[in-house]
Amino acid sequence: MDDFEALLKRRRSIREFEEREVPLPLIREIIKESTLAPSASHGQPWHFIIITNREVMKRISDECKRGLLRQIELNPELALSGYKAALEDTSFNIFYNAPCLVYIMGRADVGSLDVDCALAASYLMFCAARRGLGTCWIGLGTILQDPALREEIGLPEGHRIVAPVIVGYPEAIPEPLPREEPKILKIVS
C-alpha cells in the first residue's frame, strides 16, 4: 500500500514538459488501463482521440480560445473571465505545448457521461504517473466548435468532449499542496 500512497502524491498537474515525444504504444497501453475505471451500469461510454501533432494541437488551442472568448463576451460575469488576458495572448497555448493530448469523450446523450469519463480520466492520469509521465486535465480544451477541425481529429457527430488530458515527460514534479481536512458534515450510524 505504501506504493499506492506514493503514487497518489506523485500525480500532480504538470504544465511544463520535456521536448521528447511519448511513444504511441505507451499512450495506447495507458488508455487501455484507464478503461478499467468503473462506469454506470458498466456502460463504458468513453471514446478516445490521441493527438500528437503539435501543429494540430496549437490550432485546437487557438479555436478553443476563440470559443471561450466568445462565451466571455456574451457573459462577462462567468468565472471563466479570469482567463481573459491569457486567452487573448496569441502565444498562450492552452495545452502548454505538451507532446500529447488525449480527448476523452462519448455520446452526448449518455446521462452518466461526465462521471464515467471523469473516472476514466483519473485512471489515465494515475496510469501515466506510474510510468513517470505528467498529465493535466485542461478544462479549457472542451470548447471545440469548428466543424472542419472536429472532422480532422475524428470527433464523431453527437459526441461531447469531457476530459482533455495532456500527457508528457514532466520537467519537474511539484510537491503536493497542503490539503484541508475533510469536511464530514455528519456521521449517521
Side-chain angles (χ1 to χ4, degrees):
M1 273 309 168
D2 288 342
D3 290 339
F4 183 68
E5 185 177 349
L7 178 62
L8 289 175
K9 291 177 180 174
R10 189 169 60 239
R11 205 286 332 144
R12 312 298 332 133
S13 292
I14 304 297
R15 294 177 182 87
E16 293 181 16
F17 299 92
E18 294 178 2
E19 280 300 310
R20 65 180 163 146
E21 304 298 319
V22 180
L24 190 54
L26 181 56
I27 295 294
R28 288 176 174 272
E29 186 178 305
I30 290 167
I31 288 173
K32 184 172 183 173
E33 287 179 2
S34 76
T35 64
L36 295 172
S39 61
S41 300
H42 197 58
Q44 305 174 69
W46 41 65
H47 297 127
F48 303 86
I49 294 174
I50 303 167
I51 303 168
T52 58
N53 182 312
R54 290 179 197 238
E55 186 270 324
V56 171
M57 288 171 60
K58 177 69 169 105
R59 286 193 288 126
I60 294 170
S61 171
D62 291 345
E63 168 60 20
C64 289
K65 287 174 15 180
R66 281 189 292 276
L68 293 162
L69 287 167
R70 280 192 299 272
Q71 286 185 5
I72 292 168
E73 191 176 299
L74 292 172
N75 185 359
E77 302 303 314
L78 288 175
L80 182 62
S81 295
Y83 292 100
K84 187 173 187 221
L87 295 171
E88 291 173 333
D89 180 350
T90 56
S91 67
F92 174 62
N93 182 326
I94 65 171
F95 302 119
Y96 298 95
N97 302 307
C100 179
L101 167 63
V102 176
Y103 268 133
I104 304 173
M105 77 214 53
R107 284 189 355 263
D109 62 351
V110 174
S112 62
L113 186 66
D114 288 333
V115 172
D116 293 341
C117 288
L119 285 163
S122 293
Y123 273 49
L124 184 143
M125 291 185 282
F126 282 115
C127 292
R130 188 171 71 84
R131 291 170 173 82
L133 294 167
T135 59
C136 189
W137 181 324
I138 306 294
L140 298 176
T142 61
I143 309 300
L144 181 57
Q145 298 170 332
D146 181 294
L149 198 47
R150 289 173 67 96
E151 183 177 335
E152 181 179 351
I153 67 168
L155 183 61
E157 189 69 36
H159 279 55
R160 185 169 55 79
I161 298 166
V162 174
V165 179
I166 54 176
V167 183
Y169 292 97
E171 285 193 2
I173 300 174
E175 288 297 316
L177 297 173
R179 296 294 196 251
E180 295 179 10
E181 283 297 312
K183 293 175 179 71
I184 300 171
L185 299 180
K186 187 174 184 174
I187 296 174
V188 180
S189 53

